[in-house]
Amino acid sequence: MDNSQDDIFTIKARRCKRCGGLLTSKQAVEDGYGHVCKMKAEAEIRAAQPDPNQISLFDALEAEEENN
C-alpha cells in the first residue's frame, strides 16, 4: 500500500511586499506583509505624514497677508 499521497498537502503562501520573505500565516497572506514588515510599513506611513502642529512657510505667508 502506497501512503505517499497521504503526506502531500498544500498551504497558501506568498512573498512579503516589503522584504520578499515567504509568508504562510493566514493574516500575513491576507495583508501581504509579515508582522515586522507591517509594523515598519505603518511607521513609514506615519513618518511621511506632516506634523499637525507645524505650519509651512506658505501657511505663514498666507496668514501674514490676511493680517495686512
Side-chain angles (χ1 to χ4, degrees), residues 4-47:
S4 63
Q5 291 293 339
D6 295 337
D7 297 333
I8 298 173
F9 62 94
T10 59
I11 58 171
K12 289 186 178 182
R14 70 185 293 186
R15 296 283 177 182
C16 177
K17 294 177 187 178
R18 191 166 193 280
C19 72
L22 185 63
L23 305 174
T24 57
S25 75
K26 182 181 177 184
Q27 187 66 46
V29 170
E30 289 175 7
D31 294 341
Y33 295 99
H35 68 281
V36 173
C37 287
K38 184 176 179 182
M39 288 189 303
K40 289 180 179 180
E42 290 172 351
E44 289 170 352
I45 290 169
R46 284 191 305 273

